[in-house]
Amino acid sequence: MKKLLQLLALICISHQVYSQDVSVENTSFEEETGIAVPTAPIAIIPEPVSLIKHTGSFILPRNVSIQAEKTPETKLVVDYLQLHLSIPTGSFITPYTSSLTPTIKLIINQQANPSLGKEGYQLTVLPKSITIKANQSAGLFYGVQTLFQLFPKEIESKELVSGKRWAVPCVDITDYPKLGWRGLMFDVARHFFTKDEVKLYIDAMAKYKFNLLHLHLTDDEGWRVEIKGLPRLTEVGAWNVKKVGTFGDFIPPTADEPRTYGGFYTQNDIKEIVQYAKDRFVNILPEIDVPGHSLAAIVSYPELSCTPGAETYKVRSGEKIMDWSKGAPPIALVDNTLCPANEKAYVFLDTVLTQIAALFPFEYIHMGGDEAPINYWQNNSAVKALMQREGLKNIEQVQGYFEKRVKTIVESKGKKFIGWDEILENELPANTTVMSWRGMKYGIDAAKKGHEVVMSPTTFAYLDYMQSDAITEPKVYASLRLSKTYEFDPVPAGVDPKYIIGGQANLWSEQVYTIRQAEYMTWPRGMAIAESVWSPNAKKNWATFLPKVEQHFKRLDLAETKYSPSVYDPIFKVARAADRSVVVDLSTEAPGLDIYYSFDNSEPDRFYPKYTEKLSVPKDANTLKVVTYKGKEKVGRLISMPVDELNKRAGKR
Ligand code: ACM
């Protein structure tokens, strides 16, 4: 005990020294005293391939020198490191030092270790120096991301944090990704997000080693990219009526409601976003979603439709335009498809894709292909004539014909064609890449036929789904908790892994009105996806992942990035007892929490009844209120569950 007190006193003294005099040069407390200074638990997401922790730690000095070769690629990493280190620490950074004892060494060594590939790195932290080695600059960038996660959480601060000891534990890390395509999709069509908001999204994803941002640029609610020569796409197609509430059920707008809600990216905006992403080793995949989801284009240029009356259509403002009650494909209430039998549609796409191909350097263009309704095509004389002329036997083959033509256009621009899995409902050549969204099945089937596949299944990777109880979340069709997301394995057994080129999660934005909500929906599930697409399966472990996520919550707080605390929220399971009364089973995703509750309409805290066994709902109760604690700390949100809702969930009385 005496020894422990001495140790604590020493640590406190050392803390004061560093707090008061941040100009202290790289003094190694450990070396002087032989006592290891505690650092926060190591919590790297995604989990590296190999991590060996040594005793001792590196303390960031006031003057930091960075050794690196002066190439344009390495400069991106040096600039990033300089900016993100200097803001919170106030350290003075000298890049490209000629010092023989640099603080941080960034070394590109193509021969170093072939197993590191294009994006892997080796990070060595010693008491007096940090070295990151990689074959290419992307690897250095990911080494820097790992290094930041080894620093105290305050490294995420957007302003100077004075008096902090910037200690990094001594480690040896070797790391490289499982997949080369690690994506997040951001739907900027249903709701528009500004250029600066997209940049914020990129900043956050780069920290978790995502390297691809898929921008869903067009849909029924908006066309978001300037196309020269087609001005109506953004003069008309980018604007609808501002509404809030539950998207999809809105009252159809009246003719006099202003269509001023929305926006678009100019071509210069796109160039700026692409460059911003590239500087963070993120590619941008543009999606132009056709033939369905095309109402904004049709409203702009009604001649792209073959349905009479299309010129009266309006860009959707969240009112009902599809009937999904009979499942897929939906019954369209307005025809939101480009006409496959109309040559003008292909001329239009040629113009659009010429410019999209020039704006986005990434090798693929995503052409959508999902959820195209068939009811208008079935009754259309031009489509019937097309079927006869081309020998198409059914409407699925009509979409197949359309996809082949679009693929040819994409390829004529020097790009590869990728689309949602519906594009394969008809045979397409093996060089068609598929994004499997309706579960893993379509991706597995496609890979077995020799197609390249990006897995982004609803089952694990739909970030628009609710992550907590529906009572607390904006309503969407389905739920997807963090623990389920963490089960995502983009490379399923029984499939040749060479065909699975990537994994990604998708954030559709029907119910997402703000960037804060986009962040909330993305994190922490994005962390689970990051680990699923980067880390070896053997390194994935829910029990160790969750405490890391909790550490990262504190980092996100400092980075001012919103996240969902749903792992702390109660999970309600409801059943009926033999006497038909409702019985409630409560649990949480995070272990070790205490759940407190009330039925008397007051707000429970940790002095209220603690949940220990299934609850029987008292006869006259009208609300069950629940909150969770970790020891004395309130961690969960107060959830108010109406007894009527419990009754509904429990089924027939
Ligand atoms: C999709 O979710 N409709 C691709």
Side-chain angles (χ1 to χ4, degrees):
M1 187 63 187
K2 200 165 148 219
K3 279 229 167 79
L4 187 66
L5 286 175
Q6 277 171 346
L7 171 72
L8 282 174
L10 265 169
I11 290 167
C12 289
I13 291 163
S14 98
H15 183 73
Q16 273 174 10
V17 168
Y18 286 102
S19 306
Q20 285 163 13
D21 181 7
V22 281
S23 69
V24 171
E25 275 301 320
N26 204 4
T27 314
S28 170
F29 175 75
E30 284 90 345
E31 279 177 357
E32 282 173 16
T33 62
I35 298 167
V37 175
T39 44
I42 291 180
I44 297 167
I45 298 176
E47 185 65 29
V49 170
S50 149
L51 184 158
I52 300 163
K53 186 175 185 305
H54 303 291
T55 53
S57 54
F58 165 95
I59 313 290
L60 191 77
R62 179 90 176 125
N63 292 303
V64 176
S65 53
I66 302 176
Q67 176 197 303
E69 242 184 273
K70 227 176 184 168
T71 66
E73 298 290 284
T74 312
K75 183 176 181 307
L76 299 177
V77 185
V78 172
D79 288 354
Y80 187 97
L81 184 56
Q82 180 168 13
L83 182 70
H84 290 84
L85 261 189
S86 60
I87 292 173
T89 69
S91 284
F92 184 73
I93 319 270
T94 308
Y96 310 111
T97 181
S98 53
S99 160
L100 292 177
T101 54
T103 327
I104 302 177
K105 287 185 249 180
L106 302 179
I107 301 172
I108 295 278
N109 182 355
Q110 316 232 335
Q111 316 305 323
N113 183 347
S115 69
L116 296 181
K118 290 186 201 154
E119 297 182 296
Y121 63 91
Q122 281 173 316
L123 167 65
T124 305
V125 178
L126 298 171
K128 297 279 188 182
S129 70
I130 291 172
T131 305
I132 305 175
K133 284 188 194 163
N135 296 335
Q136 296 189 18
S137 50
L140 292 183
F141 184 74
Y142 295 128
V144 164
Q145 295 307 333
T146 296
L147 174 62
F148 277 109
Q149 293 190 14
L150 289 166
F151 270 104
K153 61 182 184 308
E154 290 79 6
I155 202 77
E156 293 294 339
S157 174
K158 290 175 188 249
E159 58 235 24
L160 180 69
V161 182
S162 42
K164 183 83 202 158
R165 260 177 95 258
W166 299 100
V168 178
C170 290
V171 288
D172 265 310
I173 293 178
T174 300
D175 199 14
Y176 47 85
K178 174 171 171 175
L179 289 170
W181 175 311
R182 303 180 303 279
L184 291 179
M185 193 230 36
F186 192 11
D187 172 6
V188 293
R190 268 47 179 279
H191 284 102
F192 179 63
F193 293 86
T194 64
K195 171 177 75 176
D196 288 337
E197 289 170 338
V198 173
K199 288 181 183 176
L200 272 182
Y201 202 77
I202 293 169
D203 281 338
M205 63 188 280
K207 290 179 187 171
Y208 293 101
K209 303 188 176 84
F210 285 102
N211 65 358
L212 182 121
L213 175 64
H214 167 172
L215 286 180
H216 181 75
L217 287 167
T218 68
D219 214 302
D220 300 322
E221 297 76 10
W223 183 283
R224 304 298 181 203
V225 53
E226 176 193 16
I227 301 294
K228 311 255 193 227
L230 294 168
R232 285 180 59 80
L233 286 175
T234 43
E235 285 167 7
V236 177
W239 308 98
N240 61 5
V241 176
K242 181 172 169 58
K243 288 179 170 272
V244 285
T246 305
F247 184 98
D249 293 341
F250 291 149
I251 302 161
T254 53
D256 59 348
E257 283 186 87
R259 295 192 158 264
T260 51
Y261 182 64
F264 65 94
Y265 309 112
T266 64
Q267 295 207 348
N268 279 339
D269 289 339
I270 294 287
K271 286 178 195 154
E272 197 178 315
I273 293 170
V274 165
Q275 186 62 45
Y276 190 87
K278 184 166 176 276
D279 291 351
R280 286 149 188 79
F281 296 87
V282 172
N283 284 308
I284 301 217
L285 169 71
E287 180 187 352
I288 303 296
D289 197 354
V290 291
H293 290 279
S294 293
L295 191 57
I298 288 160
V299 172
S300 308
Y301 295 100
E303 63 272 26
L304 298 175
S305 171
C306 41
T307 294
E311 53 294 338
T312 64
Y313 289 168
K314 293 276 183 265
V315 178
R316 184 183 183 214
S317 306
E319 68 277 21
K320 187 170 171 180
I321 62 164
M322 294 283 153
D323 176 3
W324 282 96
S325 61
K326 310 255 171 349
I331 312 286
L333 310 177
V334 299
D335 182 8
N336 70 340
T337 61
L338 295 193
C339 180
N342 183 349
E343 283 308 306
K344 284 184 185 153
Y346 303 105
V347 173
F348 167 81
L349 286 175
D350 194 286
T351 305
V352 169
L353 292 176
T354 303
Q355 295 180 42
I356 293 291
L359 283 171
F360 294 91
F362 191 51
E363 60 187 316
Y364 288 86
I365 297 179
H366 195 303
M367 294 306 301
D370 57 321
E371 301 177 321
I374 59 173
N375 51 307
Y376 281 95
W377 292 0
Q378 273 167 332
N379 299 318
N380 186 275
S381 55
V383 175
K384 284 182 191 158
L386 172 78
M387 290 173 77
Q388 201 146 39
R389 192 185 79 215
E390 298 292 331
L392 307 172
K393 294 191 181 58
N394 53 41
I395 291 291
E396 287 71 36
Q397 291 189 3
V398 174
Q399 182 163 351
Y401 166 86
F402 178 85
E403 300 300 346
K404 276 189 200 125
R405 299 249 346 229
V406 174
K407 180 170 183 284
T408 305
I409 301 172
V410 168
E411 287 168 356
S412 76
K413 311 301 167 202
K415 299 288 182 177
K416 294 187 188 168
F417 174 86
I418 181 169
W420 300 113
D421 55 52
E422 288 96 326
I423 62 169
L424 282 197
E425 276 174 14
N426 260 275
E427 290 292 304
L428 282 180
N431 67 350
T432 309
T433 306
V434 173
M435 197 168 265
S436 183
W437 73 277
R438 294 176 293 171
M440 302 284 285
K441 173 182 174 313
Y442 292 93
I444 292 171
D445 290 350
K448 286 189 173 156
K449 288 188 193 146
H451 294 275
E452 288 188 338
V453 173
V454 175
M455 288 289 191
S456 64
T458 50
T459 345
F460 305 105
Y462 261 42
L463 300 180
D464 58 325
Y465 286 5
M466 297 173 288
Q467 53 204 315
S468 190
D469 194 281
I471 210 81
T472 65
E473 304 288 296
K475 300 279 170 299
V476 203
Y477 343 94
S479 293
L480 179 62
R481 286 196 176 264
L482 178 67
S483 48
K484 184 72 181 172
T485 307
Y486 194 66
E487 288 172 22
F488 182 35
D489 181 357
V491 189
V495 166
D496 185 340
K498 82 169 189 241
Y499 292 114
I500 310 296
I501 61 166
Q504 109 175 12
N506 300 330
L507 179 60
W508 299 102
S509 68
E510 286 97 324
Q511 311 297 344
V512 179
Y513 293 74
T514 64
I515 185 68
R516 294 297 285 174
Q517 183 65 5
E519 291 171 353
Y520 171 92
M521 298 304 280
T522 305
W523 311 111
R525 289 181 296 187
M527 298 179 201
I529 298 292
E531 203 147 299
S532 301
V533 294
W534 178 285
S535 308
N537 284 1
K539 289 281 166 177
K540 279 186 74 187
N541 179 341
W542 171 249
T544 51
F545 174 70
L546 196 54
K548 291 195 298 181
V549 168
E550 293 186 271
Q551 295 283 328
H552 280 249
F553 283 165
K554 298 178 200 160
R555 290 176 175 266
L556 294 185
D557 283 335
L558 286 153
E560 299 177 350
T561 304
K562 198 170 183 188
Y563 58 88
S564 168
S566 61
V567 287
Y568 300 130
D569 290 342
I571 300 168
F572 294 80
K573 286 202 192 110
V574 183
R576 285 217 184 268
D579 66 357
R580 311 308 298 151
S581 66
V582 178
V583 177
V584 186
D585 178 344
L586 297 174
S587 58
T588 56
E589 280 190 292
L593 303 186
D594 295 320
I595 305 176
Y596 299 91
Y597 67 93
S598 77
F599 278 111
D600 62 9
N601 302 330
S602 67
E603 188 175 323
D605 61 18
R606 69 186 177 86
F607 300 95
Y608 270 59
K610 187 163 152 178
Y611 176 85
T612 52
E613 57 182 357
K614 289 179 190 170
L615 302 174
S616 283
V617 178
K619 228 190 221 160
D620 298 300
N622 47 34
T623 310
L624 166 60
K625 292 193 179 183
V626 184
V627 70
T628 58
Y629 277 71
K630 192 181 256 189
K632 293 185 177 180
E633 188 196 353
K634 176 171 173 270
V635 287
R637 296 173 285 193
L638 177 78
I639 309 253
S640 293
M641 176 64 77
V643 169
D644 283 351
E645 174 67 19
L646 293 174
N647 260 309
K648 206 158 82 192
R649 293 186 190 184
K652 231 168 74 217
R653 271 178 218 255

